[in-house]
């Protein structure tokens, strides 16, 4: 193969690479234009001191209802709460929740806190009576 033929072959290959590159670029542009822009959820505002008190009072009411034996009633009330409000309720009561945590997981944390609180009160009650 002569030098001229090699140069001609390289030009042909270069043109093919350019066409392929243009084609790929147009495919990328098409794909990006078809994707709807991702709607970011607005981050909820931090809890105000008043909201914290309200959530703590609500949590206390639910705990008292749960403690009185109405576990299913409490479960039903908690199930009706939207997941974001449930996270805020848990957060106001010092439960370690994240914005990506599922509703079931938040409910588990609340249930665990109820049981923990009950155990703490059962341990303290005998100690108070013996003292």
């Amino acid at each position: 193969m002569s030098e001229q033929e090699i140069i001609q072959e390289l030009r042909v290959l270069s043109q093919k690479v350019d066409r392929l590159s243009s084609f790929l670029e147009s495919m990328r542009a098409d794909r990006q234009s078809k994707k709807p822009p991702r709607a970011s959820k607005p981050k909820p505002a931090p809890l105000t001191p008043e909201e914290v008190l309200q959530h703590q009072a609500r949590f206390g009411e639910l705990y008292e209802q749960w403690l009185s034996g109405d576990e299913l009633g409490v479960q039903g009330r908690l199930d009706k709460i939207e997941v974001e409000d449930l996270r805020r309720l848990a957060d106001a009561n010092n439960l370690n929740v994240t914005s990506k945590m599922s509703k079931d997981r938040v409910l588990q944390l609340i249930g665990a806190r109820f049981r923990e609180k009950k155990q703490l009160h059962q341990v303290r009650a005998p100690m108070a009576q013996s003292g």
Side-chain angles (χ1 to χ4, degrees):
M1 207 178 214
S2 73
E3 191 175 312
Q4 289 297 327
E5 291 172 330
I6 293 172
I7 291 173
Q8 181 60 31
E9 191 69 29
L10 287 173
R11 284 187 184 139
V12 170
L13 288 173
S14 177
Q15 290 172 347
K16 287 181 179 180
V17 167
D18 287 344
R19 283 195 306 259
L20 181 59
S21 178
S22 295
F23 173 75
L24 291 174
E25 190 60 39
S26 69
M27 291 297 290
R28 270 192 219 108
D30 284 350
R31 223 179 305 140
Q32 288 176 350
S33 67
K34 289 180 184 177
K35 285 183 181 177
R38 200 176 229 196
S40 61
K41 294 181 183 176
K43 189 174 182 179
L47 291 169
T48 64
E50 295 82 19
E51 289 175 315
V52 169
L53 290 174
Q54 289 172 350
H55 285 303
Q56 287 174 344
R58 187 176 188 186
F59 193 87
E61 291 170 11
L62 290 166
Y63 172 70
E64 290 300 324
Q65 183 181 350
W66 178 85
L67 196 58
S68 71
D70 189 13
E71 294 176 20
L72 292 177
V74 171
Q75 183 67 37
R77 285 179 62 188
L78 288 170
D79 281 336
K80 291 178 185 175
I81 300 173
E82 292 294 322
V83 66
E84 189 55 43
D85 291 333
L86 200 58
R87 288 183 191 125
R88 292 172 74 81
L89 173 73
D91 185 39
N93 288 279
N94 301 315
L95 292 170
N96 192 16
V97 293
T98 66
S99 61
K100 295 182 179 185
M101 201 171 275
S102 71
K103 187 173 185 174
D104 287 340
R105 181 68 183 130
V106 177
L107 290 171
Q108 287 174 352
L109 289 174
I110 291 172
R113 176 59 54 90
F114 284 173
R115 290 185 296 278
E116 175 185 306
K117 201 170 174 180
K118 181 179 178 181
Q119 286 179 337
L120 286 173
H121 286 287
Q122 287 176 344
V123 168
R124 286 186 187 157
M127 290 176 66
Q129 291 172 357
S130 65

